[in-house]
Amino acid sequence: MRERLIGFIKTYFLFVCIFALQKPLFMMFYHSLYPNASCTDWFEVILHGLPLDLSLAGYLTVIPGFLFIASAWTLSKHLYRIWCSYFIFISILLSIIFIVDLGLYDFWGFRLDTTPIFYFISSPTDAVASVSFWVVAGAVIAMAVYAMLLYGIFYACLLQKKQLLRMKLPYRRLRMSGILLLMTGLLFIPIRGGFTVSTMNVGKVYYSADQRLNHAAINPAFSLMESLSKLKDFSSQYRFMEAKEADRIFRDLVDPAVLKGDAEVTDSLHTLFTTNRPNVIFIILESFSSKLMTTLGGEPDIAVHLDSLSKEGVLFTNFYANSFRTDRGLVAILSGYPAQPTTSIMKYPRKTQSLPAIAGSLKKAGYSTKYYYGGDADFTNMRSYLMSSGFEGIVSDQNFPVTERLSKWGVHDHLVFNKLLDDLKTEAIENSMEKKDAPHFRVLQTSSSHEPFEVPYRRLENDRLNAFAYTDSCVGAFVQHFRELPQWKNTVIVLVPDHLGAYPEHINNLSVERYQIPLLMIGGAIREPRRIDVYGSQHDIAATLLAQLELPHGEFTFSKDMMNPDSPHFAFFTVPDAFGVVTADNQVIYNCQADAVVVDEGTAKGTNLPLGEAYLQKLYDDIAKR
C-alpha cells in the first residue's frame, strides 16, 4: 500500500516541479526582456504561477491514478508498457508545447494558445514561410532533447522496474483501490482551483503591472488547453451581409473621432465638468436597473440615495446595459467594447490585452489607477483583464481579513466602500504633505445586490429589494463622508450598473426593458445638475468621459461621445444569440438562432435591424483580428 500512495504523490509533485522550473528557463531564454528582474521577481513568478501548475498536474495525474488502481489487481507487463507509453506521450507533448511557446513568444507577445494551430491548419506553408530551415531544424532538435530529458526524469523517478517490482498485489485489493480512487478524485480540487466561485483560469496568475512578469508566470500547456476549450472562428460568425455593405453601414454608426482622427474633432460639448482633469471614481453597481429609481419612472423607496443624488448630478435617462453578465458589462464600461452574444472577450487574455481602456488612457494622462472589489478578482479572468487595462493595483477579497469575508461573493459592500474611503483619506494627507496634485482614477465594483441577497441590513421585507437598498445605502454613506474630504471639489463620480439583474423579477431577455439601467455622474466637479435624454450604452461611457477630459478617444472604435451632436445616438445590447438596437424612433430585438425579429416598435419600424446586423458583424470581425 505504501509504495502506491508514495508513487501517486510523487507523480503529482514531479509534474508540479517540472512546470515550476519551466518559468526560470523561460525568463533566462528571454533575459533581455527582464533586465531589471530581481531575485524576488523570479521567485514571485514561480509562486504566482503555481495555481496553473497545480491544476495541470492534477489533469496529468488522473491517468497514473487509474494505473495505480489497476496495479492493485495485476502487475502484468502490459500494464508496465501502458505506463511507459503514457509518460513517453506526455514527455513529447510537453516538449512540443514548451519549445513552440518559447520560439513564438518573441513574435506573438503572448503565451501559447490556439492561434498558431489555427494558422498552421489553415495554411501550413504560410505559417512557416518566414522561418528558415535551420530554425525549424533547431526547434525539432530542441524538442527531441527536451522530450528525452523529461522522459529520463520520469523513468528515474517513477518507471524503473525495480521500483514497480517493490509493489506487490495487496491482500485487501478493494480497500487499496478505494483509497487510490479517493486520492484520484481529490485531484478535482487543484484542477478546479479550490472551492471558490471562480474555476481555474489563466487570469489567476496575473499579479503585476508588468505584463511580461505575468506572461512568465503562465503555464503554456494550461494556456493552450484553456484556449482549445474555447476554440471558435469568430470571423465566420454572424455573416449577415457582404463585407462592403457592412463597412458602409458601420461608417454611419461610429464616432467622428474614429473616422476623422481626434485632432480634427472639436464638436463635443465640454459642459459637464468644471475642469478637464478631475479625479474620477467609477462605482459599478451589481445588477441595478432603472426600475429601482423613482427619478427614472421606477419603484419608490428602494434606491433612495441614488434618487436624491440624481437631483444634483448629471442623469442619462435613455441608457442601456450592453449585456446580461458582469464580465461582459465590465469590458463595455471600462474598454468601450460592446458585449458579444456567443462569448465573453474577457475569457481571452491575449485579446483583452489589445483592447483600449479608460484606465490606460488616464494613466497616460498622469492619473494613478486602482480597482476595488470585495469578491474574487480571478473570476472569469477578471484580474488579467484589469492588469492589462492599466490598473496599477487591485484590492479584492484577499486584501480583507477572513472575518470580513462573510458573503458568498466575498466582502460586503460597506466594507469595500470603507476601504476606498480610508485610502482616499490617506492619499489626501500624503498629497498635502508632499504638495502633490496628481489626479486619480478609482473603480469600485459592488457585489452584495446579488443572489442570495444576504446583507447586514434590513429596511425592506423583500430580500432582493432589501439587498439593493443596502448597496444604495452604502453609496449614500460613502458620498456623505467623501464630501468632507478635500478631493470632493475636484472629483467626478460615475455610477453605473454592470447589468440589470434580479429586479424586475422574471424579466424576459428578449425585451427592451431588460437592458434599461441608470447612468449618473455626481461630485464637486460637476458643473450643474442636468438630465440628458440621448440614447447610449455602457460602451459609450469611454468616449464620452475622455471627450469631457479633452483626451483622445479615437482608438475606442465602438464607443461614441454621447455629448457630441454629430455622433450617432443609439443603444446596442446582446444576449446569447440575440441582439438589440434602440433609437428614439425604433426599438428592435433580433433572435439570431430563430432568425426572427421578436421586437420591432416605434415610428420607423425595421430601420434599426440592418444597423444591428452590420454592427454585430463588424464587432466579430474586430474580435477575430485581436
Side-chain angles (χ1 to χ4, degrees):
M1 177 183 293
R2 180 171 173 271
E3 289 79 14
R4 287 175 175 81
L5 296 179
I6 292 175
F8 180 91
I9 295 170
K10 188 191 296 184
T11 300
Y12 177 77
F13 283 103
L14 187 58
F15 279 124
V16 173
C17 290
I18 289 171
F19 296 143
L21 289 173
Q22 285 182 341
K23 292 168 180 56
L25 289 176
F26 176 86
M27 294 180 71
M28 284 189 286
F29 187 83
Y30 284 108
H31 59 90
S32 61
L33 299 180
Y34 305 95
N36 301 316
S38 64
C39 293
T40 301
D41 289 328
W42 287 65
F43 175 76
E44 286 186 340
V45 163
I46 296 173
L47 181 65
H48 286 88
L50 273 179
L52 298 188
D53 300 339
L54 294 170
S55 179
L56 188 61
Y59 281 107
L60 298 182
T61 308
V62 169
I63 290 180
F66 286 117
L67 293 175
F68 275 113
I69 293 172
S71 72
W73 299 87
T74 178
L75 293 173
S76 68
K77 293 181 179 179
H78 296 295
L79 182 62
Y80 179 72
R81 288 170 184 163
I82 294 173
W83 221 310
C84 292
S85 298
Y86 175 76
F87 281 99
I88 289 173
F89 171 76
I90 292 300
S91 299
I92 294 173
L93 180 64
L94 293 180
S95 175
I96 292 173
I97 291 173
F98 181 70
I99 299 302
V100 170
D101 172 71
L102 208 61
L104 291 180
Y105 182 79
D106 191 42
F107 300 97
W108 297 84
F110 56 86
R111 301 306 293 268
L112 188 64
D113 66 3
T114 56
T115 305
I117 297 175
F118 174 75
Y119 281 126
F120 188 82
I121 292 174
S122 60
S123 179
T125 304
D126 292 339
V128 298
S130 59
V131 183
S132 70
F133 168 80
W134 296 111
V135 171
V136 174
V140 171
I141 293 172
M143 290 176 193
V145 171
Y146 190 55
M148 287 189 289
L149 175 63
L150 288 178
Y151 184 73
I153 293 172
F154 289 133
Y155 184 83
C157 297
L158 304 172
L159 301 175
Q160 292 187 54
K161 284 189 176 181
K162 63 180 182 180
Q163 291 178 289
L164 297 178
L165 289 174
R166 291 196 194 117
M167 293 191 301
K168 299 178 181 180
L169 293 178
Y171 177 72
R172 297 178 176 176
R173 297 182 183 182
L174 284 175
R175 180 186 176 189
M176 182 75 257
S177 298
I179 293 173
L180 288 169
L181 183 61
L182 175 63
M183 293 184 68
T184 303
L186 289 175
L187 292 173
F188 175 78
I189 298 173
I191 286 175
R192 190 187 184 278
F195 300 100
T196 62
V197 293
S198 64
T199 55
M200 187 59 65
N201 58 75
V202 169
K204 279 187 177 287
V205 307
Y206 280 65
Y207 73 98
S208 173
D210 185 346
Q211 291 302 312
R212 290 171 178 171
L213 291 176
N214 293 330
H215 289 173
I218 294 173
N219 184 313
F222 188 96
S223 176
L224 177 61
M225 180 182 69
E226 185 182 60
S227 183
L228 283 169
S229 71
K230 306 169 185 173
L231 187 59
K232 291 179 180 178
D233 180 10
F234 294 105
S235 63
S236 66
Q237 297 183 53
Y238 299 112
R239 302 296 95 184
F240 297 104
M241 60 191 72
E242 294 294 328
K244 289 183 179 179
E245 178 65 6
D247 291 341
R248 182 190 67 78
I249 297 174
F250 186 68
R251 285 182 63 84
D252 294 329
L253 299 176
V254 298
D255 192 89
V258 175
L259 295 175
K260 301 178 183 179
D262 290 293
E264 300 180 37
V265 180
T266 58
D267 293 330
S268 182
L269 301 177
H270 304 283
T271 61
L272 299 184
F273 309 152
T274 58
T275 172
N276 62 2
R277 285 297 177 272
N279 300 310
V280 179
I281 298 176
F282 275 30
I283 298 177
I284 300 176
L285 302 163
E286 170 66 47
S287 300
F288 270 64
S289 79
S290 297
K291 299 296 184 181
L292 298 171
M293 294 179 62
T294 307
T295 49
L296 291 174
E299 300 293 330
D301 199 37
I302 301 174
V304 293
H305 294 281
L306 288 180
D307 276 329
S308 176
L309 292 171
S310 67
K311 298 173 184 177
E312 64 179 69
V314 178
L315 180 65
F316 290 78
T317 60
N318 289 306
F319 196 73
Y320 291 78
N322 270 128
S323 192
F324 69 112
R325 291 289 299 273
T326 299
D327 52 337
R328 291 154 165 86
L330 289 181
V331 176
I333 293 168
L334 300 176
S335 286
Y337 203 76
Q340 308 90 52
T342 61
T343 189
S344 169
I345 199 170
M346 190 183 281
K347 296 178 181 178
Y348 301 86
R350 183 185 67 80
K351 293 183 181 292
T352 56
Q353 72 182 20
S354 68
L355 291 178
I358 295 174
S361 295
L362 295 184
K363 189 176 178 181
K364 291 177 184 177
Y367 282 72
S368 64
T369 59
K370 198 169 185 178
Y371 199 94
Y372 292 78
Y373 177 48
D376 183 358
D378 293 309
F379 192 59
T380 61
N381 274 336
M382 190 167 76
R383 185 184 301 276
S384 63
Y385 165 68
L386 295 176
M387 298 299 293
S388 299
S389 296
F391 284 98
E392 298 163 320
I394 299 174
V395 174
S396 66
D397 57 351
Q398 298 301 311
N399 298 102
F400 293 84
V402 175
T403 54
E404 293 184 348
R405 302 177 209 167
L406 302 178
S407 164
K408 176 187 176 183
W409 295 98
V411 180
H412 286 300
D413 288 344
H414 74 279
L415 297 172
V416 186
F417 276 104
N418 289 343
K419 173 64 175 172
L420 172 58
L421 191 63
D422 289 342
D423 287 354
L424 290 172
K425 291 178 181 177
T426 301
E427 290 172 15
I429 296 172
E430 292 175 349
N431 290 343
S432 176
M433 294 176 60
E434 300 176 13
K435 296 182 179 180
K436 293 193 306 183
D437 195 27
H440 60 246
F441 176 52
R442 301 290 181 262
V443 177
L444 186 147
Q445 178 186 343
T446 71
S447 61
S448 295
S449 49
H450 193 292
E451 294 90 347
F453 308 115
E454 297 171 352
V455 295
Y457 177 89
R458 176 59 68 181
R459 185 169 68 80
L460 303 176
E461 292 185 8
N462 183 289
D463 285 345
R464 66 182 62 208
L465 293 182
N466 184 69
F468 286 115
Y470 161 68
T471 297
D472 175 73
S473 73
C474 295
V475 172
F478 170 76
V479 172
Q480 179 183 354
H481 290 98
F482 186 43
R483 289 181 194 272
E484 302 172 3
L485 299 185
Q487 296 105 310
W488 170 262
K489 64 181 180 180
N490 192 45
T491 296
V492 170
I493 301 177
V494 179
L495 298 115
V496 62
D498 55 351
H499 58 86
L500 183 151
Y503 190 82
E505 299 181 46
H506 313 300
I507 193 167
N508 185 354
N509 278 343
L510 299 180
S511 66
V512 174
E513 292 76 16
R514 176 68 172 83
Y515 308 95
Q516 292 177 334
I517 61 172
L519 171 62
L520 175 62
M521 299 181 183
I522 62 171
I526 294 295
R527 187 177 299 277
E528 60 182 358
R530 293 183 61 178
R531 288 174 65 96
I532 297 175
D533 299 325
V534 299
Y535 285 77
S537 307
Q538 287 169 323
H539 67 278
D540 297 324
I541 294 174
T544 304
L545 174 67
L546 294 175
Q548 292 298 310
L549 302 180
E550 298 183 8
L551 293 174
H553 61 275
E555 64 178 328
F556 293 81
T557 306
F558 295 91
S559 187
K560 309 180 299 298
D561 178 7
M562 292 184 288
M563 297 302 295
N564 187 341
D566 293 331
S567 182
H569 298 301
F570 65 90
F572 175 82
F573 50 82
T574 67
V575 284
D577 236 356
F579 69 84
V581 180
V582 176
T583 58
D585 52 10
N586 186 215
Q587 301 175 351
V588 66
I589 295 179
Y590 181 75
N591 187 328
C592 303
Q593 193 172 42
D595 191 21
V597 175
V598 292
V599 173
D600 188 9
E601 300 173 352
T603 58
K605 291 185 178 181
T607 56
N608 285 348
L609 180 58
L611 306 185
E613 290 176 333
Y615 202 74
L616 186 57
Q617 183 168 322
K618 291 297 294 182
L619 174 61
Y620 271 70
D621 287 343
D622 189 81
I623 297 172
K625 292 186 296 184
R626 293 187 181 275

